[in-house]
Amino acid sequence: MIDDWAAREQIVTAADRLFYGRGVQAVGMDAVRAQAGVSLKRIYALFPSKDDLVVAVLHHRSRRWDAGLAAATATVESPRDKLLAVFDFLADWFVEEDFRGCAFINSFGELGALSPQVAAAAREQKASFQGYVAALVRAAGAPESLAPQLAILAEGAQTTAAIAGTPDAARQARDAAATLIEAALAPARTPA
Amino acid sequence: MIDDWAAREQIVTAADRLFYGRGVQAVGMDAVRAQAGVSLKRIYALFPSKDDLVVAVLHHRSRRWDAGLAAATATVESPRDKLLAVFDFLADWFVEEDFRGCAFINSFGELGALSPQVAAAAREQKASFQGYVAALVRAAGAPESLAPQLAILAEGAQTTAAIAGTPDAARQARDAAATLIEAALAPARTPA
DNA sequence: TAAGATAGAGAACGATGGTTCTCAACGCAA
DNA sequence: TTGCGTTGAGAACCATCGTTCTCTATCTTA
């Protein structure tokens, strides 16, 4: 038998793929069991309810997102380039064949009104992302107000790419971000 | 008895409120019947399936959105101000107490993978909005590339405001839009 | 007024889902 | 080897949902 840690991993990974691909409510726990290869009894021993599993999946995705973002921004040096690398990270993601938008946005729309835990998980992930962007903005020496603007661009790119079914939004958002960054830094370069 | 037109209206309005507030799959047809005050038989005579009703609700929302947007941009003269008025329109929307994000984004996330009709309705609405912004951008004399950038800002503001639970994103997106518009128009003002 | 069509209320039906339970198989300690 | 505890497979259970059907009451029209 596999240990609890590996079982959790398999269950969460399987549930993530299914929930993300079809939506949470469209996936029964039996489908999770089949995909994970773990008995229902075991699943319920590790996750007391489907809602708990959903929250675990979101936390798992949040960690993966953080790691991917850190890796993407680690490839360049300057804070300005790191900010733009965020949009390159999105571009790479949008072309993946199973891309279906942001799981947090999707889950929030589907379950946010029903599950406070899901709503909180989405809120935390977005706040974390905004904090990450804000740190890069500070490092770049740009005014704080730039951070939410860039975060909004990233969010919009995700939904736009998902619904349109094309990755164009990543480049468009990147171009807009470059313009906003330049404008934010310009006054500092040429003070009155 | 009420006529078909009024019945359709009541059903769609009731379903819209319920679907938007709780998510589509969380609302049973019986809840729609109760809220609409129209018998299930009548509902199914007018909408052969729940999926058809969902699509009708989305089309209804699309018309309301178009009208609201047209009204909001009609209050100002210049194309540039009309573009900014889009974000004021969002700001007014975000402070409504039942605001829960964009119904098209939410529906797409919940049902896009299951219902091609729902996916198409979302895609059409977003394309229509992008077209509207593109027309304003053209009228403002700015390069075409500005339009998707502003549209992405608007999308991002909607999801950000919904998940954060605050209307701040409208102002932030508006500020970003003003910067992008200015940057897009600047080269035209000072040609080489 | 009487017959017939129609509509509404809600029961009924079949499917599905989340969750729990049964039971047989297995591993392990004495 | 013999119990005992644990596990997995899946049946079972109960609720809910989309959809249809039944039955009664109402309205129309001649």
Side-chain angles (χ1 to χ4, degrees):
Chain A
M1 191 200 79
I2 58 182
D3 63 11
D4 281 2
W5 188 90
R8 280 191 105 93
E9 186 82 3
Q10 281 177 229
I11 296 163
V12 168
T13 301
D16 186 26
R17 180 179 352 262
L18 294 171
F19 291 166
Y20 181 66
R22 305 189 216 154
V24 174
Q25 298 186 126
V27 173
M29 291 297 279
D30 203 63
V32 174
R33 177 198 57 79
Q35 175 96 27
V38 174
S39 74
L40 273 180
K41 199 176 180 183
R42 196 86 190 281
I43 294 178
Y44 275 94
L46 294 169
F47 305 96
S49 74
K50 189 181 183 181
D51 210 57
D52 291 297
L53 176 56
V54 173
V55 170
V57 165
L58 291 179
H59 284 150
H60 179 251
R61 262 208 176 234
S62 198
R63 284 194 299 276
R64 277 209 333 205
W65 166 274
D66 289 349
L69 199 59
T73 55
T75 63
V76 293
E77 263 302 309
S78 76
R80 180 183 167 280
D81 287 345
K82 282 181 189 294
L83 284 170
L84 292 177
V86 171
F87 295 90
D88 296 328
F89 175 59
L90 293 181
D92 288 342
W93 180 28
F94 293 174
V95 296
E96 287 178 18
E97 62 184 329
D98 62 350
F99 172 70
R100 237 175 60 76
C102 170
F104 298 91
I105 294 172
N106 292 349
S107 300
F108 182 87
E110 183 176 353
L111 302 170
L114 282 70
S115 165
Q117 296 184 85
V118 168
R123 207 151 34 230
E124 283 161 25
Q125 205 273 338
K126 294 310 180 192
S128 158
F129 176 63
Q130 297 227 7
Y132 187 78
V133 174
L136 291 181
V137 163
R138 260 195 306 277
E144 304 258 348
S145 61
L146 177 62
Q149 298 183 1
L150 297 182
I152 287 169
L153 276 176
E155 301 296 343
Q158 290 171 62
T159 64
T160 299
I163 294 182
T166 72
D168 303 345
R171 182 183 38 79
Q172 293 159 345
R174 194 200 135 108
D175 290 346
T179 302
L180 292 176
I181 294 169
E182 190 174 358
L185 292 176
R189 284 210 208 99
T190 61
Chain B
M1 190 202 79
I2 60 182
D3 63 11
D4 281 0
W5 188 89
R8 281 191 102 92
E9 186 82 4
Q10 282 178 227
I11 295 164
V12 168
T13 302
D16 186 26
R17 180 176 357 259
L18 294 171
F19 291 167
Y20 181 66
R22 304 189 219 154
V24 174
Q25 293 176 229
V27 173
M29 291 298 278
D30 203 64
V32 174
R33 177 200 56 79
Q35 175 97 24
V38 174
S39 73
L40 273 180
K41 199 177 179 180
R42 197 86 190 280
I43 294 177
Y44 275 93
L46 295 169
F47 305 96
S49 73
K50 188 181 184 182
D51 209 57
D52 291 297
L53 176 57
V54 173
V55 170
V57 165
L58 291 179
H59 285 151
H60 180 252
R61 261 206 176 234
S62 197
R63 284 193 300 275
R64 277 208 335 206
W65 166 273
D66 288 349
L69 199 59
T73 55
T75 62
V76 293
E77 264 300 309
S78 76
R80 180 183 167 282
D81 286 345
K82 283 181 190 294
L83 285 170
L84 291 177
V86 171
F87 295 89
D88 297 328
F89 174 58
L90 293 182
D92 288 343
W93 181 28
F94 294 174
V95 296
E96 288 178 18
E97 62 184 328
D98 61 349
F99 172 70
R100 236 175 58 77
C102 170
F104 299 92
I105 295 172
N106 292 350
S107 301
F108 182 87
E110 183 176 354
L111 302 171
L114 283 74
S115 164
Q117 296 184 83
V118 168
R123 206 151 34 229
E124 283 161 24
Q125 206 273 339
K126 294 310 179 191
S128 159
F129 175 64
Q130 297 228 7
Y132 188 78
V133 174
L136 290 180
V137 163
R138 258 192 308 276
E144 304 258 347
S145 61
L146 177 63
Q149 298 184 1
L150 298 182
I152 287 169
L153 275 177
E155 302 296 343
Q158 291 172 61
T159 63
T160 299
I163 294 183
T166 72
D168 303 344
R171 182 183 38 76
Q172 293 158 345
R174 195 200 134 106
D175 291 347
T179 302
L180 291 176
I181 293 168
E182 190 173 358
L185 292 176
R189 287 210 206 97
T190 62

